[in-house]
Amino acid sequence: MKLRKVTAASAAVFALSLTATACGSGDGDSGSGNDGGKKITIGIKYDQPGLGLKTPDGKFTGFDVDVAKYVAKELGYAEGDIEFKETKSADRETALERGDVDFITATYSITDERKQKVDFAGPYLLAHQDLLIRADDNVTKGDDLNGKKLCSVTGSTSAQNVKDDFAPKAQLKQYGTYSECINGLQSGAVDALTTDDSILAGYASQDQYKGKFKLAGLKLSNENYGIGVKKGDTAMVDKINAALEKMVKEKAWDKAVQDNFGPAGYQNEPAPQIGNIVK
């Protein structure tokens, strides 16, 4: 790099600025847990009510958001130090590998395949694949869906899993978004929507849907939600796990569940133990 000549006064100012930077709180890269760092970037979903949602006024709400804020606080960051970054399902591993985010809290199920690329803290929630149905309908087992219209989003395996394992005569309907499935359920175009029960509860808890839908409570699979961290950053994993344990102990976890899922009558599992993956 070429440097221009500077005056003695300018050099002194430049030296002072470097000293101030060196003594500051860093560049915001939390890495292995840079407590009290200037900024922390957290990956979340922007389009999942009850879990990770960016509202029209620019606020962020949901259970994943509440968990992320609590963990960040325990790592030494004020709420104003948090930068939330939209992290879609297909982009999560890449975002961690590139360092675009410090950790991800975004309905991120812990799987053996994903653990080859990233490390996980948690789990912090045990969800299940379930069905959302109209409040006046009754579905008590998977084969009740035979002959009925079952909705999920394009690219999801949830509806196909139900057809393969429980209701081979179900009629699959694929829409672009869960919101479209919800609209179809409301109009009668479909009879049920399937994905994780936490996601379904988040949608059903929205003001415009309260009392119109309910979860069937079938528990068709186990989904252990973890907090994704860059591969090899075990120090960060340990600090996040300690924060999650404290969140449960202080009952802040229970409050977050009730605040975000309560209106849907979500029968959540108790807070999982750190490292306990339910198959």
Side-chain angles (χ1 to χ4, degrees):
M1 178 185 295
K2 294 182 178 179
L3 297 177
R4 295 178 298 172
K5 292 182 179 181
V6 296
T7 65
S10 298
V13 171
F14 181 65
L16 285 171
S17 67
L18 288 178
T19 302
T21 301
C23 295
S25 56
D27 61 1
D29 180 7
S30 66
S32 60
N34 182 20
D35 297 357
K38 184 177 180 182
K39 291 287 183 182
I40 187 167
T41 304
I42 303 173
I44 61 169
K45 296 288 183 66
Y46 275 17
D47 59 351
Q48 288 184 340
L51 286 155
L53 181 70
K54 184 176 182 179
T55 61
D57 60 359
K59 295 180 180 178
F60 299 95
T61 65
F63 181 74
D64 282 350
V65 173
D66 288 348
V67 170
K69 287 179 179 178
Y70 190 96
V71 169
K73 175 175 67 72
E74 291 303 307
L75 293 177
Y77 296 89
E79 190 167 327
D81 297 331
I82 299 172
E83 178 185 349
F84 286 116
K85 185 178 182 68
E86 183 176 22
T87 313
K88 296 180 180 179
S89 296
D91 301 330
R92 290 180 294 205
E93 288 81 19
T94 302
L96 287 169
E97 289 169 1
R98 287 194 309 233
D100 295 342
V101 295
D102 294 297
F103 64 80
I104 292 176
T105 311
T107 59
Y108 204 178
S109 295
I110 301 172
T111 67
D112 291 338
E113 181 180 1
R114 288 170 178 164
K115 285 194 291 185
Q116 300 301 312
K117 299 179 180 179
V118 303
D119 285 338
F120 285 99
Y124 65 91
L125 183 72
L126 176 59
H128 307 280
Q129 185 180 341
D130 199 359
L131 304 172
L132 190 69
I133 56 179
R134 288 180 286 274
D136 57 355
D137 284 349
N138 190 31
V139 175
T140 60
K141 54 188 183 303
D143 62 11
D144 288 344
L145 289 171
N146 280 316
K148 294 191 175 183
K149 299 180 182 69
L150 177 63
C151 187
S152 192
V153 298
T154 304
S156 170
T157 59
S158 298
Q160 188 63 51
N161 290 343
V162 172
K163 185 175 176 67
D164 290 345
D165 299 334
F166 303 100
K169 295 182 181 179
Q171 302 173 42
L172 299 187
K173 299 288 185 181
Q174 291 189 327
Y175 292 166
T177 65
Y178 289 118
S179 295
E180 291 177 79
C181 283
I182 290 281
N183 291 336
L185 187 59
Q186 189 169 14
S187 69
V190 298
D191 300 302
L193 161 61
T194 185
T195 187
D196 294 358
D197 55 4
S198 57
I199 297 173
L200 297 175
Y203 276 98
S205 294
Q206 291 183 287
D207 288 340
Q208 66 267 39
Y209 300 135
K210 286 179 182 177
K212 295 181 179 179
F213 307 118
K214 65 182 180 183
L215 276 73
L218 299 189
K219 297 184 179 180
L220 302 175
S221 72
N222 295 321
E223 305 295 335
N224 299 269
Y225 290 173
I227 295 181
V229 174
K230 188 173 184 178
K231 188 70 176 176
D233 197 349
T234 56
M236 177 65 103
V237 170
D238 290 343
K239 290 186 177 186
I240 293 176
N241 280 337
L244 292 173
E245 290 176 340
K246 185 176 180 181
M247 185 177 187
V248 172
K249 184 177 181 180
E250 291 184 342
K251 305 296 183 182
W253 187 91
D254 294 308
K255 183 179 185 303
V257 169
Q258 183 59 38
D259 288 347
N260 293 290
F261 303 130
Y266 179 45
Q267 300 299 313
N268 64 283
E269 298 280 3
Q273 294 184 339
I274 298 301
N276 182 26
I277 308 299
V278 179
K279 299 295 186 179

